[in-house]
Amino acid sequence: MTPPPPIGLLAELTHRCPLRCPYCSNPLALAAADGELTTADWARVFRQAAELGVLQLHLSGGEPAARRDLVELVSHAAGAGLYTNLITSGMMLDAGRLAALAEAGLDHVQLSVQDSEPGSADRIAGFPGGHARKLAFAGLVTQAGLPFTLNAVVHRQNLDHLGEIVALALQLGAKRLEVAHVQYYGWALLNRDHLLPTRDQLDRATVMVEQARSEHRGVLSIDYVVPDYYATEPKACMGGWGRQVMVVNPTGKVLPCHAAESLPGMVFESVLDRDLASIWTSSEAFEMYRGTGWMRGPCQGCVNAERDWGGCRCQAFALTGDATATDPACRLSRDHSLLDVAVQRAAAPAGDFIYRERARVKTSVL
Amino acid sequence: MVPQFARGHRLREDKARGRWVILAPERVFEPDDIATEVLLLVDGVRTFDEIVDALAAKFAAPRDAIAADVTVMLADLRERQVLAG
Ligand code: SF4
Ligand code: SF4
C-alpha cells in the first residue's frame, strides 16, 4: 500500500552555526561543510518534494544562512510552489540579504532566542553578544514585512522567565510564540541533568501560558506542549513515523525524523542515489516504523496506536536501549519510571554544560 | 473594501490530494468548495462588491444571499488572521 504523501519537508541545509546551544538537535557527529549538498542538488530535491505532495518547506540547520546560496535556494523552493519557512538564529542575516530573501519568495521567518535577557541567553547559546544581534534581526524582519514566529526552547535554566519571553515576543511584533521544551537525545541528552525542569517550574509555566493565551488572544498565539518527562501520554512524534514529514540532512540523507540518526543499525538513503518519492514510499528506513506492524505490547492492539503511533522511537531507544519499545513517556510503558529516575538525578547536577561543537580529535581507527 | 490575504498566508491547489489549501505559518487550512470559490477571487485588487458580483454571475444566485454568506466567511477568516484588512 502506498503511504499518503508528506505535508512537510525539513531541509537541514547545513550543520554550521555560530551558536553552541547545549540542546542542539543536530547529531553529535556534525557534518562538515565540504560534504554538503550543492545548490543544484537542493533545487532538485525541492522540485521532487513539490511533485510528491509536500506543501511546506522548513529551511533549517545549523544556521541556514551559513549557506551562501540561501537566496537562490529560496527562489528554487518558491519556484517549485513550496511555502518556505526559514528557521534561523538570526545571527548571519543583514537587511540586504533579508530583503533579497523576501524578494525571492520567502513566506515566513522563525527566529529562535535562548532566553529573555542577554546575560543568560548568551551564556546558554555560548556566544557573547548573540542576543542583542537577534533583537536587531527581529526588527529587520518586521521592517521587511515578513510575518514571524518567535521560538524559545525552554528548560530548567530559563523556564522561570516565560513571562518575560512572552513580553519579548509582543515587543518584537511576533504573531506566534512557540515555546518548545527540550527533547532529550543527542546533545540534550548529554546535558539532561542541567536542563530538565522541576515539577514546580513546570506547573508554574503551565498556568502562566494559560493566562498569557487568554490575555493576548487575537494578538499573539502561543504554542506550548507539556514535556515528555512529565507526560503520561506520548506525543505522535513527527505526526507518526513516515506519515507527514521527511527530513533531508546536509549531506542528502533522507530521515523520518531529525534525530533518527541516533538509532542503531539504520540505513538512510540519499537524494544523490534515489528520488524522494521512492525513498518515501519504499526505503527500508521509512518502512521500519511506519504504521503499527512493528509494535509489540503494550502498544500492539492499544486503542491509541493510530493516534500517537507508539510515541518517539528515538526517545524509546535513548531511554531503554530498544528502539521498538513503547515510548517511556506513556504511562503504560513498563519503563515509565525511568523518567522519574532522570528527574531525580537532575536535581543535583554536576559540572557545567557540554556545548555543541565539532569534534576536535578524530577517533582513531585501530 | 478590498479583502486580501495576510502576509504569510496563501491559497494554493494541492494537486496530490485533489483539494485547495491555505498555507499559513506552521499550519495548513482546508477551505471547503464554496470558500475556495470565494478565496480564488481574493487578489488584493477586487473589492468586496466585485467579488460578490462575480459569484452571483457565476452561480446565477441572488446577490443578497451571496453577499451575506461572503460577509460571514470573510469575517471568520479575518478572525483567524488568514485575511488582513
Ligand atoms: S540549536 Fe543553537 S547551536 Fe543548534 S543550530 Fe540552533 S542556534 Fe545553532
Ligand atoms: S501503549 Fe503505545 S499506543 Fe498505547 S498509549 Fe502507550 S504509547 Fe500509545
Side-chain angles (χ1 to χ4, degrees):
Chain A
M1 205 178 66
T2 319
I7 300 272
L9 175 73
L10 178 69
E12 288 182 343
L13 299 180
T14 177
H15 282 158
R16 288 174 283 151
C17 180
L19 302 187
R20 304 188 292 137
C21 307
Y23 48 72
C24 182
S25 63
N26 287 164
L28 296 176
L30 297 167
D34 59 9
E36 291 176 6
L37 293 182
T38 64
T39 313
D41 291 333
W42 280 116
R44 189 181 64 244
V45 168
F46 298 160
R47 273 197 312 274
Q48 290 179 355
E51 273 163 31
L52 175 58
V54 167
L55 299 172
Q56 292 185 317
L57 172 68
H58 306 280
L59 297 169
S60 161
E63 170 47 56
R67 292 272 311 207
R68 288 219 208 107
D69 56 356
L70 184 61
V71 174
E72 222 181 310
L73 292 177
V74 167
S75 69
H76 283 299
L82 297 169
Y83 183 99
T84 54
N85 175 27
L86 181 70
I87 300 178
T88 179
S89 66
M91 299 289 295
M92 300 180 78
L93 287 167
D94 58 16
R97 210 150 159 237
L98 190 64
L101 287 170
E103 179 76 11
L106 183 66
D107 289 291
H108 179 259
V109 174
Q110 180 182 309
L111 168 66
S112 59
V113 288
Q114 280 69 21
D115 204 335
S116 57
E117 55 93 20
S120 166
D122 291 350
R123 187 181 60 81
I124 293 167
F127 192 101
H131 189 71
R133 240 201 259 181
K134 284 164 185 278
L135 301 191
F137 174 73
L140 297 178
V141 175
T142 329
Q143 271 165 36
L146 285 162
F148 91 96
T149 294
L150 193 71
N151 166 280
V153 173
V154 289
H155 44 80
R156 179 173 345 141
Q157 312 213 12
N158 64 7
L159 191 52
D160 293 333
H161 304 163
L162 196 49
E164 289 83 353
I165 292 173
V166 171
L168 182 64
L170 288 164
Q171 179 204 322
L172 295 176
K175 291 264 194 300
R176 293 177 66 248
L177 171 64
E178 217 174 75
V179 180
H181 278 277
V182 169
Q183 289 182 294
Y184 295 97
Y185 21 69
W187 294 99
L189 191 58
L190 290 179
N191 288 297
R192 189 174 64 181
D193 290 352
H194 298 281
L195 295 169
L196 264 184
T198 66
R199 176 93 240 178
D200 274 2
Q201 272 187 309
L202 194 67
D203 290 342
R204 285 198 300 273
T206 308
V207 172
M208 155 84 235
V209 168
E210 286 311 318
Q211 275 173 0
R213 272 184 183 150
S214 65
E215 197 177 328
H216 307 297
R217 195 172 305 276
V219 179
L220 180 72
S221 64
I222 305 177
D223 264 28
Y224 178 82
V225 189
V226 171
D228 282 334
Y229 277 61
Y230 291 99
T232 52
E233 289 167 7
K235 296 189 221 1
C237 182
M238 306 301 275
W241 186 276
R243 305 200 78 80
Q244 298 191 354
V245 184
M246 64 200 315
V247 181
V248 178
N249 86 358
T251 64
K253 280 191 200 160
V254 190
L255 318 171
C257 143
H258 57 265
E261 283 178 293
S262 67
L263 298 173
M266 303 270 310
V267 181
F268 300 106
E269 300 195 45
S270 167
V271 296
L272 297 174
D273 304 324
R274 231 176 136 183
D275 67 287
L276 271 189
S278 73
I279 295 178
W280 172 259
T281 51
S282 61
S283 71
E284 194 187 307
F286 277 86
E287 291 284 289
M288 184 99 93
Y289 300 113
R290 184 181 266 144
T292 56
W294 58 273
M295 290 179 176
R296 298 182 284 117
C299 290
Q300 197 181 56
C302 174
V303 290
N304 288 327
E306 298 204 350
R307 195 156 37 182
D308 62 37
W309 305 101
C312 171
R313 296 303 86 223
C314 303
Q315 180 153 276
F317 175 73
L319 288 165
T320 73
D322 176 3
T324 67
T326 293
D327 185 338
C330 177
R331 73 189 144 73
L332 300 176
S333 156
R334 81 173 92 83
D335 304 302
H336 191 54
S337 62
L338 288 176
L339 302 179
D340 284 337
V341 174
V343 168
Q344 276 159 29
R345 230 189 75 149
D352 198 1
F353 283 148
I354 298 169
Y355 285 100
R356 165 205 137 117
E357 57 197 333
R358 208 172 292 284
R360 290 211 195 84
V361 192
K362 284 227 170 79
T363 32
S364 59
V365 188
L366 289 176
Chain B
M1 188 193 61
V2 180
Q4 65 178 79
F5 281 93
R7 275 306 284 262
H9 295 73
R10 56 193 165 87
L11 185 71
R12 216 202 83 175
E13 189 175 8
D14 178 5
K15 289 214 184 81
R17 297 169 192 81
R19 59 178 188 173
W20 285 77
V21 288
I22 301 166
L23 300 177
E26 305 286 340
R27 273 192 301 180
V28 177
F29 296 94
E30 192 179 342
D32 61 23
D33 291 350
I34 300 166
T36 302
E37 290 291 344
V38 177
L39 290 171
L40 280 168
L41 296 167
V42 170
D43 58 4
V45 178
R46 282 193 189 85
T47 64
F48 174 83
D49 286 334
E50 286 166 347
I51 290 174
V52 173
D53 288 342
L55 291 166
K58 180 161 180 186
F59 295 101
R63 199 182 182 286
D64 288 354
I66 290 192
D69 287 353
V70 174
T71 304
V72 173
M73 187 180 301
L74 295 185
D76 173 54
L77 288 169
R78 238 175 248 123
E79 195 177 301
R80 293 202 250 167
Q81 303 187 18
V82 170
L83 296 181

